[in-house]
Amino acid sequence: QVQLVQSGAEVKKPGASVKVSCKASGYTFTSYYMHWVRQAPGQGLEWMGIINPSGGSTSYAQKFQGRVTMTRDTSTSTVYMELSSLRSEDTAVYYCARPTHDYGAFDIWGQGTMVTVSS
Amino acid sequence: SYVLTQPPSVSVAPGQTARITCGGNNIGSKSVHWYQQKPGQAPVLVVYDDSDRPSGIPERFSGSNSGNTATLTISRVEAGDEADYYCQVWDSSSDPYYVFGTGTKVTVL
């Protein structure tokens, strides 16, 4: 079945970087974009950016420009989201999500990865 | 950026109908998607492209979209429908491109 499995929880100090992985299975990895969405504790959903696993092109929300990097490894059907210069406000659950088609709704979600930023 | 506004909470008795609104400028010209999120879980798509349901989603979930308001309707509400609900659109002229609503907590009385 189609599924996205993310890496485990992380605890980082302010100023550090974190890299979260999302391994896809059950479908042709390069046929669907992949999004990253985060959710701070008790807050709503926030879109961070998108990667095209086929060519590797990316587009990021302006809020994260310069701090986020999304990459992919087609040999393992895995996408990565790296966020640098972490601050306490980056404490959140990070999700990868696959759309139904280009610009479509997000029908498949990873289980989420909790990232805690604390000194 | 494009803003989607939802009521913070909606309360409904079992068996009744819950309506959750999502307000945005000329939202009727966009495709609206709705997600259900239960505590500690990832969101689940319940309605896409204004009114279509993914396989496995009960017919009790329906959507509409016109003018400046999109609406998710949950008919014959059950205890298991208690969750947070988010609307979402894609707007290529906005930053960010993908916008989520503020979220609505549905409480089943």
Side-chain angles (χ1 to χ4, degrees), chain A residues 102-118:
Chain A
D102 296 359
Y103 315 117
F106 305 167
D107 66 334
I108 306 294
W109 292 70
Q111 83 276 21
T113 297
M114 182 70 210
V115 175
T116 302
V117 183
S118 174

Side-chain angles (χ1 to χ4, degrees), chain B residues 20-84:
Chain B
I20 305 163
T21 58
C22 175
N25 184 37
N26 197 27
I27 195 174
S29 67
K30 306 179 189 303
S31 288
V32 180
H33 318 305
W34 291 91
Y35 302 88
Q36 174 194 70
Q37 187 180 33
K38 296 181 179 179
Q41 298 183 20
V44 172
L45 180 67
V46 293
V47 166
Y48 66 97
D49 292 348
D50 296 341
S51 59
D52 291 332
R53 277 177 289 103
S55 60
I57 300 301
E59 292 183 6
R60 301 184 299 103
F61 289 84
S62 62
S64 62
N65 184 19
S66 178
N68 292 318
T69 305
T71 303
L72 174 69
T73 301
I74 310 173
S75 304
R76 303 180 298 284
V77 166
E78 302 174 356
D81 299 331
E82 187 162 290
D84 294 325

Side-chain angles (χ1 to χ4, degrees), chain A residues 66-119:
Chain A
R67 284 209 303 143
V68 70
T69 304
M70 297 177 187
T71 56
R72 94 291 190 215
D73 182 344
T74 56
S75 67
T76 60
S77 299
T78 302
V79 296
Y80 300 90
M81 187 284 299
E82 184 170 22
L83 190 62
S84 62
S85 302
L86 290 169
R87 35 210 187 224
S88 59
E89 310 89 89
D90 294 318
T91 294
V93 177
Y94 290 76
Y95 295 100
C96 56
R98 194 203 78 169
T100 55
H101 59 80
D102 296 359
Y103 315 117
F106 305 167
D107 66 334
I108 306 294
W109 292 70
Q111 83 276 21
T113 297
M114 182 70 210
V115 175
T116 302
V117 183
S118 174
S119 54

